Amino acid sequence: VILPSELFQGPYFCVSQEEHWFAHAYEWRDHPCVTALSPVAKELGVAIPVSIFEKDGPQYYNSIVMLDADGEALGVYRKSHIPDGPGYQEKYYFRPGDTGFKTW
């Protein structure tokens, strides 16, 4: 298992409320981090939980896409606890997850 850090595709943007960051969210199956790391997982024969800023219709989530050792996406988990406080403006960006807890 290779475990990248949370929301690693760029700087941690949740320290302030800035609307332009919503343009960096994608549907989980087509997210650039997922499509870039899928062949890496397959080549190395490792599982990679990929942390993404997910867009699902009008909703936005802090999500994990689980890639298996064949590079296949097993599914998505949407973070259920969204912190809010100084330096953590996550509730501005993300809804609480609706996937329940996952095991792969």
Side-chain angles (χ1 to χ4, degrees):
V1 175
I2 295 175
L3 181 60
S5 60
E6 185 176 16
L7 300 172
F8 67 92
Q9 87 182 67
Y12 180 74
F13 57 89
C14 303
V15 295
S16 60
Q17 297 180 6
E18 299 179 45
E19 188 172 337
H20 69 91
W21 288 112
F22 287 100
H24 296 268
Y26 299 87
E27 293 185 8
W28 71 269
R29 287 179 181 88
D30 301 319
H31 196 285
C33 292
V34 173
T35 58
L37 289 175
S38 177
V40 173
K42 183 175 183 176
E43 177 184 342
L44 299 177
V46 297
I48 306 174
V50 182
S51 176
I52 63 166
F53 185 14
E54 180 195 2
K55 178 179 175 154
D56 183 24
Q59 312 300 325
Y60 295 85
Y61 300 95
N62 183 346
S63 301
I64 291 282
V65 177
M66 189 66 200
L67 300 177
D68 70 9
D70 293 323
E72 298 297 319
L74 299 178
V76 66
Y77 163 73
R78 295 176 174 154
K79 185 176 174 180
S80 58
H81 173 72
I82 308 299
D84 192 45
Y88 294 94
Q89 300 295 308
E90 291 193 14
K91 287 187 178 181
Y92 175 76
Y93 296 100
F94 312 122
R95 297 178 58 86
D98 59 359
T99 57
F101 297 107
K102 302 279 187 159
T103 303
W104 287 287

